Amino acid sequence: MTQHPHAAAHAGVHAGHRLEEDLAQLLDLDAETSGPVLDEMTAWIAEQMPADPRAVVDLGAGTGTGSLALARRFPAAQVVAVDRSVVMLDHVRAAARGQGLEDRVQAVQADLDVAWPVVGAADLVWASSFLHEVADPGAVLAEVRDALRPSGLLVVVEMDALPRFLPDDIGLGRPGLESRCHRALADAGWNAHPDWRPLLEHAGFEVLAPRTVSTAASPAPSATARYAAAWFARMRPALQDRLAVEDLDVLDRLLARDAPEALLNRRDLGLRGSRTAWAARRP
Ligand SMILES: C[S@@+](CC[C@H](N)C(=O)[O-])C[C@H]1O[C@@H](n2cnc3c(N)ncnc32)[C@H](O)[C@@H]1O
């Protein structure tokens, strides 16, 4: 039976919305499990700023983790969270209300592949796990440079690799499953980003020393199992044609909610990862 075009379009919109809600949940779990990392990074930014920023812009803000951390760190600042997703921006507004920061955190919808939004002059621009997602990072960096006041700071953050949760041998299938998953996704371009320094310099920024912070936590935070399940659920569709059938079977057992060996019920999970931040000043 052929699906009516409107029904097909509606199903597509629904699936897209669902994917964005899943990503929002993943980002919130990321924030919950790696809290001290943001404290460390925003403290480092405060040291680099010539004066307390008044205007902060968070590009590709997601659920607003960075926006809110910066609003807390810099109490005199107005923060604009920019994202192309209305789903994400709803999360930003709700989180800002939840923390009593709605007067200082504004959510603005814009697709930065298309046009730079009206956000005014900025003292600080934050772009976390975002720059590698745009079609033309050089064009976005040129817009950022123009938006920053002289001596203003851009901070670009990226995950060095996908976060790891499992020991090498999980007692199911062949050891090394998580490494095989990450290798397959790297081949598919996941989290692919360069050392941003040359592009930042090309865009006219003076790059300060990059800083790498570990997101490893011991003992693992209580949300680690839910965070691991969210990551593996996100990875699973992309791995369908990239892993052996035996590995895919093990992944499905890890994702089955009620199985004793499922991620949500395991006792052998850890959390290992790191992020690098490049701080770049507009001369
Ligand atoms: C991986 S998430 C990172 C979210 C957040 N910065 C964090 O670190 O938790 C990337 C975000 O960038 C947004 N994004 C991707 N491409 C975009 C574009 N061209 N314009 C605006 N937002 C974009 C996505 O909607 C998503 O919310």
Side-chain angles (χ1 to χ4, degrees):
M1 193 171 63
T2 326
Q3 205 177 16
H4 189 282
H6 287 156
H10 181 74
V13 169
H14 184 73
H17 190 276
R18 177 69 207 274
L19 279 176
E20 295 202 340
E21 281 295 355
D22 288 348
L23 176 59
Q25 188 195 24
L26 180 88
L27 294 174
D28 281 347
L29 285 165
D30 175 55
E32 199 176 330
T33 50
S34 52
V37 172
L38 265 183
D39 288 345
E40 199 179 322
M41 285 217 179
T42 58
W44 176 64
I45 291 171
E47 288 166 17
Q48 316 297 323
M49 295 296 303
D52 276 356
R54 296 274 170 169
V56 176
V57 179
D58 179 5
L59 300 179
T63 52
T65 303
S67 303
L68 295 168
L70 291 163
R72 291 191 302 269
R73 173 68 63 188
F74 300 115
Q78 289 293 323
V79 179
V80 182
V82 179
D83 206 287
R84 68 178 169 197
S85 157
V86 289
V87 171
M88 294 300 168
L89 295 172
D90 283 345
H91 280 267
V92 174
R93 290 186 193 99
R97 272 197 305 277
Q99 297 188 23
L101 290 168
E102 66 271 34
D103 292 345
R104 292 203 292 117
V105 177
Q106 188 197 347
V108 169
Q109 190 192 10
D111 184 339
L112 295 165
D113 284 334
V114 177
W116 185 257
V118 180
V119 290
D123 303 303
L124 172 64
V125 174
W126 166 264
S128 166
S129 291
F130 162 74
L131 197 56
H132 71 266
E133 295 206 359
V134 299
D136 185 350
V140 171
L141 290 180
E143 297 280 11
V144 174
R145 189 202 48 224
D146 290 349
L148 276 170
R149 295 196 174 103
S151 299
L153 205 70
L154 162 65
V155 181
V156 176
V157 183
E158 298 284 7
M159 286 191 304
D160 297 320
L162 302 183
R164 299 184 73 96
F165 302 96
L166 292 171
D168 191 56
D169 186 353
I170 59 171
L172 294 170
R174 198 155 59 87
L177 174 69
E178 194 168 40
S179 297
R180 287 194 294 285
C181 292
H182 287 187
R183 271 200 301 276
L185 293 173
D187 289 346
W190 278 45
N191 194 43
H193 60 268
D195 173 352
W196 287 115
R197 176 189 280 271
L199 201 63
L200 286 163
E201 287 176 345
H202 185 74
F205 288 95
E206 174 204 342
V207 181
L208 315 177
R211 183 183 179 105
T212 298
V213 294
S214 164
T215 51
S218 181
S222 58
T224 298
R226 283 181 291 129
Y227 185 38
W231 257 112
F232 275 87
R234 187 167 180 78
M235 296 191 296
R236 175 64 180 87
L239 292 166
Q240 180 59 34
D241 298 319
R242 296 178 182 274
L243 284 189
V245 174
E246 298 75 31
D247 280 344
L248 294 174
D249 286 346
V250 174
L251 281 180
D252 290 339
R253 288 169 69 183
L254 290 173
L255 285 167
R257 294 188 144 262
D258 38 10
E261 69 269 24
L263 288 164
L264 288 172
N265 302 320
R266 299 186 77 88
R267 295 274 171 272
D268 60 355
L269 299 181
L271 177 53
R272 304 181 298 286
S274 62
R275 275 160 217 214
T276 295
W278 291 259
R281 199 184 305 286
R282 181 193 161 157

